[in-house]
Amino acid sequence: MRAAGAARGAALAAAAVTAVALAVAAWRRARPVREVLFFPSQPCCIEALLAEAAEPGAPARPCPCPLPSGGTALSRLVRRLLSARRSLDLCLFSFSCPQLARAVQLLHRRGVRVRLVTDAQFMGLHGSQIGRLRRAGIQVRHDQHSGYMHHKFAIVDRRMLITGSLNWTTQAIQNNRENVLVVEDAEYVKAFQDEFERIWEEYNPANYIFFPKGSK
Ligand SMILES: [Zn+2]
């Protein structure tokens, strides 16, 4: 009798622990992301992150390179980007980091709608990833003025804003002091999304002005 009572007590305690764990997990999931990333980031390997994103649940094939694969500012940034399921809007002055380009390309292949706004002068520089992304079929638009398109922000699924001082270049990622803020905040996301849509429309090639008014 006493043994049965003890067993029932233990079962109840286990159920209570499970319930608390589930509640904590749900709370963690529901809690909006607020993360700050500081660069420079030490060089890291993102093969495991890309493989997991390309084929979720597939057995991990460890990369033979000696670089750390997690815990760096770059790997955390890549993880946030790869969380995209529907859309990724990028507004980037300079984009020459091959690792970030691979992450963006992977999202495009996975059916995420990627749109990229960039700077006309910087997209032509040596090492720029813009050509590669265009060849992959990603929509790119750029400015038509002398002033720079100097923004550096990304919006994931119209839900998460990634913004800061960081240009998406390996040089900046590995050498510069930079900050990036990752927030799920509806107000901030809306402001940046509106700015993105404004720029996207302004840079629509159909709206280009080839011959300013008054010229013949
Ligand atoms: Zn590696």
Side-chain angles (χ1 to χ4, degrees):
M1 250 348 233
R2 196 171 291 167
R8 202 165 45 236
L12 280 174
V17 167
T18 306
V20 168
L22 285 174
V24 168
W27 174 73
R28 281 225 173 99
R29 272 197 307 277
R31 196 170 51 152
V33 171
R34 285 168 185 274
E35 188 175 23
V36 182
L37 305 175
F38 290 120
F39 292 80
S41 171
Q42 64 177 134
C44 67
C45 175
I46 61 165
E47 298 307 322
L49 285 174
L50 293 175
E52 168 63 23
E55 233 184 309
R61 270 162 296 167
C63 176
C65 85
L67 296 171
S69 62
T72 69
L74 177 59
S75 64
R76 284 155 70 193
L77 174 59
V78 168
R79 194 183 283 277
R80 292 300 183 199
L81 291 171
L82 291 177
S83 73
R85 293 292 173 269
R86 290 175 299 282
S87 66
L88 177 65
D89 293 322
L90 300 169
C91 203
L92 298 166
F93 171 56
S94 179
F95 191 166
S96 64
C97 172
Q99 288 177 302
L100 289 171
R102 283 180 65 202
V104 169
Q105 226 176 312
L106 191 152
L107 290 171
H108 170 68
R109 274 203 306 274
R110 218 167 62 180
V112 171
R113 183 194 186 204
V114 179
R115 294 183 295 173
L116 170 55
V117 162
T118 192
D119 183 78
Q121 287 160 73
F122 266 67
M123 73 178 184
L125 294 190
H126 187 71
S128 169
Q129 297 292 311
I130 301 299
R132 167 192 180 165
L133 295 171
R134 269 196 159 147
R135 282 191 295 278
I138 290 171
Q139 300 183 77
V140 177
R141 291 183 183 180
H142 58 80
D143 65 307
Q144 210 205 4
H145 337 105
S146 53
Y148 288 133
M149 199 314 291
H150 209 236
H151 282 310
K152 310 116 201 308
F153 70 84
I155 306 167
V156 173
D157 288 342
R158 296 177 167 265
R159 161 185 59 84
M160 181 193 294
L161 170 67
I162 299 173
T163 185
S165 64
L166 183 74
N167 282 314
W168 285 20
T169 70
T170 306
Q171 134 70 22
I173 289 165
Q174 292 185 4
N175 300 296
N176 294 357
R177 289 202 180 275
E178 308 274 5
N179 68 81
V180 171
L181 209 60
V182 185
V183 286
E184 281 181 328
D185 177 292
E187 252 175 82
Y188 288 145
V189 168
K190 183 181 185 313
F192 278 79
Q193 190 74 57
D194 289 351
E195 172 70 351
F196 183 90
E197 302 299 343
R198 238 185 337 262
I199 298 175
W200 186 252
E201 200 40 45
E202 187 187 324
Y203 292 179
N204 183 341
N207 295 335
Y208 281 2
I209 302 159
F210 292 99
F211 304 102
K213 273 196 188 102
S215 69
K216 290 190 179 169

